[in-house]
Amino acid sequence: MLDLGCGAGRDVYAIAQLVGEEGHVIGVDMTPEQLETARKYEDFHKNAFGFANSNVTFKNGLIEKLGDVGIETNSIDVIVSNCVINLVPDKESVIREVFL
């Protein structure tokens, strides 16, 4: 799964528990400080969920340029975004990216 504009990772961690240890969630955000906060809680959530390994990854970048952060075409099953796409000036580019 992919969370566009993940911020401090709250939705990423909620989804991480839902997909289980065999699933994986990637959070993308353009704000390094938000991602720093998100990464601080990776071990906490891994342990709270009883997982041997973390099932999340956080990437710094623009949601309208997912290839630039290493997200390959046709590599994501489900994409979520909570109140972020409305903030992007070029919404069409975000929609194009999610269909790749």
Side-chain angles (χ1 to χ4, degrees), residues 25-89:
V25 185
I26 301 168
V28 176
D29 202 275
M30 64 181 267
T31 310
E33 295 83 6
Q34 292 278 46
L35 294 171
E36 182 181 332
T37 298
R39 289 182 182 115
K40 273 194 233 179
Y41 297 100
E42 190 170 347
D43 282 338
F44 170 83
H45 286 91
K46 175 190 72 132
N47 295 331
F49 302 154
F51 296 167
N53 299 297
S54 175
N55 65 345
V56 302
T57 304
F58 293 99
K59 297 180 177 270
N60 181 251
L62 301 174
I63 64 173
E64 57 267 53
K65 295 184 180 184
L66 297 174
D68 290 355
V69 297
I71 297 178
E72 297 181 26
T73 300
N74 293 320
S75 65
I76 304 295
D77 293 320
V78 177
I79 299 172
V80 298
S81 184
N82 187 0
C83 300
V84 176
I85 296 173
N86 61 310
L87 301 173
V88 177

Side-chain angles (χ1 to χ4, degrees), residues 1 12-25 51 55:
M1 291 190 70
V12 169
Y13 290 119
I15 295 165
Q17 185 176 24
L18 292 172
V19 301
E21 196 167 7
E22 299 302 316
H24 193 81
V25 185
F51 296 167
N55 65 345

